[in-house]
Amino acid sequence: MTIKVDVAIIGAGHAGLNAVKEVRRVTDRWVLINGGPLGTTCARIGCMPSKVAIHLADTYQARQRLGRYGVEGGEHLQIDHQAALEHVRDLRDTFVDLVLANTTDEMDEDHLIDGYAEFLDAGRLKVGERIIEPKATIIATGAHSVVPPEWEGADGVLTVDTLFDQERLPESVAVIGLGPIGLEIGQALHRLGIQVTGLDHGERVARIADPTVNRAAIDIFQREFPLLFGHEPEISRRDGGFLVRSGEREVRVEKLFFATGRHANLAPLHLERLGVPLGAQGVPLFDPTTLKLLKLPIYLAGDATGGIANLQRAAEQGRIAGFNAVHRRKRRYRSRAPMAIIFSEPNIAVTGRHWHELDQKRTAVAQQRFGPVGRALIMGQNRGLMRVYADRRSGRLLGAAMVGPRCEHLAHLLCWAIEIGMTVDKALDMPFYHPVIEEALQDTLIELRGALRGSPARYSWRRLAPRLVGT
Ligand SMILES: Cc1cc2nc3c(=O)[nH]c(=O)nc-3n(C[C@H](O)[C@H](O)[C@H](O)COP(=O)(O)OP(=O)(O)OC[C@H]3O[C@@H](n4cnc5c(N)ncnc54)[C@H](O)[C@@H]3O)c2cc1C
């Protein structure tokens, strides 16, 4: 059976679904092909269920502070792991239902095709017995967790794809890989009462490039649960579980949780049949602005592009690929000031230029510890530090890296300021309230202004003291 369409979209994640929205404005001759469960990575295993688990774990962890507030008995509180997992799944299902209700539920079988697609050549796709001949194709196939071949599918090996479907949580787990997912999930599991050991072959946590912030983050998280860096973990089976070695250290655990990265889902598409050059992770050469492959009416969007996974970016790329697939005049993807947030507690956030991208001679740097910040003290979360970078010549904000309370919000403020090219002076001209965590940013900016002018800042009296109107 051969189906001729204007556009075939492969993958019903945020990228693919947003592409459909644009395509159907222009033509009804489209198909959305999806292999595996519907509902998107974000809602099923990614952003949303992971944040539910983190929120739940942080709430349980808060019992350790209750004694300080005069609330007794916190140490006797118990968590029912099965009920906790059930809660994660309940909310996950709600998120999935919301996605389905607004998207694929109302698509008929002429438009929504269940199955995995592969290219026969640049103009033909095969899905099961069906051949599809699209004028344009959008590849929005997402990414998958990378597990070393010897451990793939093995008993006792978990990834985010399987974690939330477990009936029970293990007693102990080794988290292999301390990037964003490894740190978020590792800390959540630890806070739920699992013995967690985190291991990474590198020396960085959550990919933080700024060495001072990286050190501060490692110090904070290492105080909470063991993190072992600098050695390739050696893993073997032992007594029904696993023995994991990192240099001289070793740990026995019941399960492994692999967070060693995610790779674009491209191999099963047989892109080699397109006759185009393929780069890292099998990603074909494409124009990063129009998202189009060179010389072919084929577009890439979302995690399938092989970059750092980011939901908002996947959705926007989907919209642009969808628009470009049905219009002669192309829209262009404009990359904005980057921002990454890790929802650990304390948060980690980076925005703008990374440390290694800065011209050190031209860059002024200021930092502020959250220790004495009034609002952080009130919350009992006064740990961490933020560092903000500015250009010495123009005074413009360039970037920031931080580990601290509510950095998800500070990162947004800074990212927006960087995006519009704001100077440090202009940022300091903005209104601030009291007592808020944003005062940590205000103090860092005051210091940064001092660094730009070559004089030390005078601000420390303000941190703890209640602000006086007009000061
Ligand atoms: C644990 C975790 C936490 C995350 N947290 C965040 C966060 O806090 N913030 C953030 O911005 N991002 C986060 N992300 C990343 C974010 O979820 C992704 O960037 C986003 O969901 C990618 O969307 P997508 O449309 O590219 O791919 P997906 O949603 O993965 O959709 C791809 C679809 O294509 C299908 N498919 C694959 N191959 C084929 C084929 N050959 N034929 C047909 N169909 C195919 C797949 O089954 C899938 O349904 C997280 C990811 C994970 C895993």
Side-chain angles (χ1 to χ4, degrees):
M1 178 183 169
T2 301
I3 308 165
K4 290 184 191 282
V5 291
D6 290 332
V7 185
I9 299 117
I10 314 175
H14 271 80
L17 292 169
N18 276 284
V20 170
K21 276 190 205 159
E22 291 294 333
V23 169
R24 68 193 309 181
R25 284 181 215 269
V26 173
T27 175
D28 192 42
R29 287 163 45 85
W30 54 269
V31 286
L32 173 64
I33 307 159
N34 190 72
L38 290 167
T40 77
T41 289
C42 168
R44 280 192 314 101
I45 59 150
C47 327
M48 304 310 273
S50 65
K51 286 5 160 223
V52 179
I54 289 166
H55 179 71
L56 198 152
D58 289 350
T59 305
Y60 181 49
Q61 176 82 357
R63 76 194 183 285
Q64 298 189 349
R65 291 200 292 269
L66 293 179
R68 270 191 260 161
Y69 306 147
V71 182
E72 287 178 17
E75 66 278 15
H76 301 303
L77 292 175
Q78 295 288 329
I79 187 156
D80 175 342
H81 285 156
Q82 275 181 336
L85 281 168
E86 206 51 55
H87 172 70
V88 176
R89 286 193 283 267
D90 271 356
L91 265 183
R92 172 199 65 186
D93 294 345
T94 305
F95 294 127
V96 168
D97 286 348
L98 284 170
V99 170
L100 299 181
N102 290 316
T103 55
T104 44
D105 274 359
E106 46 92 33
M107 292 179 192
D108 59 33
E109 56 190 23
D110 288 340
H111 287 103
L112 181 61
I113 298 179
D114 178 18
Y116 286 90
E118 64 178 274
F119 281 93
L120 295 175
D121 53 48
R124 286 184 311 148
L125 292 164
K126 183 170 179 294
V127 186
E129 298 299 304
R130 276 179 275 207
I131 304 294
I132 296 156
E133 292 185 358
K135 288 186 192 153
T137 304
I138 296 168
I139 301 172
T141 46
H144 61 278
S145 302
V146 181
V147 175
E150 64 274 29
W151 297 113
E152 205 164 342
D155 258 7
V157 170
L158 301 170
T159 64
V160 281
D161 304 74
T162 51
L163 178 67
F164 303 121
D165 279 323
Q166 299 299 301
E167 276 306 307
R168 55 171 278 276
L169 288 175
E171 299 272 319
S172 56
V173 65
V175 172
I176 316 290
L178 292 169
I181 294 178
L183 182 67
E184 283 187 355
I185 299 289
Q187 187 185 40
L189 289 174
H190 161 76
R191 291 185 164 199
L192 290 171
I194 316 303
Q195 281 177 38
V196 174
T197 306
L199 302 102
D200 199 290
H201 64 169
E203 301 284 353
R204 289 193 294 161
V205 69
R207 301 196 205 112
I208 306 171
D210 185 313
T212 310
V213 179
N214 183 49
R215 190 64 256 163
I218 290 176
D219 287 348
I220 288 170
F221 295 108
Q222 231 160 15
R223 247 175 266 144
E224 197 175 325
F225 61 104
L227 301 179
L228 309 178
F229 291 96
H231 299 279
E232 194 65 52
E234 292 170 30
I235 307 168
S236 53
R237 291 257 180 213
R238 191 62 58 92
D239 307 329
F242 300 89
L243 178 73
V244 185
R245 280 212 178 88
S246 170
E248 303 287 293
R249 307 274 299 272
E250 61 178 43
V251 58
R252 280 165 197 249
V253 290
E254 188 186 329
K255 299 228 167 163
L256 301 174
F257 178 84
F258 274 98
T260 37
R262 290 175 62 82
H263 279 181
N265 286 326
L266 294 175
L269 290 171
H270 290 287
L271 298 183
E272 70 281 359
R273 294 175 187 158
L274 302 180
V276 294
L278 304 180
Q281 292 182 35
V283 179
L285 230 57
F286 69 103
D287 178 336
T289 62
T290 61
L291 307 173
K292 185 176 168 302
L293 265 63
L294 305 177
K295 296 188 183 145
L296 290 176
I298 298 176
Y299 299 81
L300 271 179
D303 287 4
T305 58
I308 286 177
N310 177 315
L311 188 276
Q312 297 276 359
R313 192 187 62 161
E316 187 179 359
Q317 288 183 336
R319 286 193 294 276
I320 289 174
F323 182 93
N324 288 349
V326 287
H327 289 91
R328 217 174 260 274
R329 200 187 156 96
K330 304 296 181 211
R331 258 190 208 160
R332 292 189 177 269
Y333 177 75
R334 184 177 68 83
S335 56
R336 298 182 176 77
M339 170 165 53
I341 295 167
I342 288 85
F343 293 85
S344 50
E345 198 279 294
N347 291 167
I348 291 171
V350 285
T351 183
R353 283 200 217 157
H354 289 280
W355 180 254
H356 57 269
E357 295 165 343
L358 298 167
D359 175 348
Q360 300 291 342
K361 284 200 200 103
R362 273 192 63 164
T363 306
V365 181
Q367 73 181 47
Q368 160 81 30
R369 295 204 165 266
F370 285 96
V373 173
R375 183 67 178 177
L377 274 154
I378 292 167
M379 296 188 300
Q381 294 176 14
N382 56 325
R383 300 175 299 164
L385 119 145
M386 76 183 308
R387 305 228 309 156
V388 182
Y389 326 128
D391 182 62
R392 283 193 182 281
R393 286 186 211 164
S394 64
R396 287 194 174 175
L397 289 160
L398 294 176
M402 60 199 96
V403 53
R406 302 202 183 161
C407 284
E408 58 175 298
H409 304 299
L410 297 180
H412 273 84
L413 286 181
L414 276 161
C415 184
W416 293 10
I418 293 165
E419 178 64 23
I420 59 169
M422 202 181 256
T423 61
V424 174
D425 281 344
K426 186 72 196 160
L428 274 170
D429 223 17
M430 294 290 126
F432 287 84
Y433 205 68
H434 172 75
V436 291
I437 214 73
E438 285 71 11
E439 284 173 308
L441 171 59
Q442 190 182 26
D443 283 345
T444 318
L445 291 172
I446 292 170
E447 184 164 330
L448 194 51
R449 183 172 59 190
L452 286 170
R453 292 178 184 164
S455 63
R458 285 173 51 235
Y459 59 86
S460 51
W461 65 273
R462 297 154 47 107
R463 294 185 194 160
L464 281 172
R467 291 183 177 221
L468 303 172
V469 174
T471 58

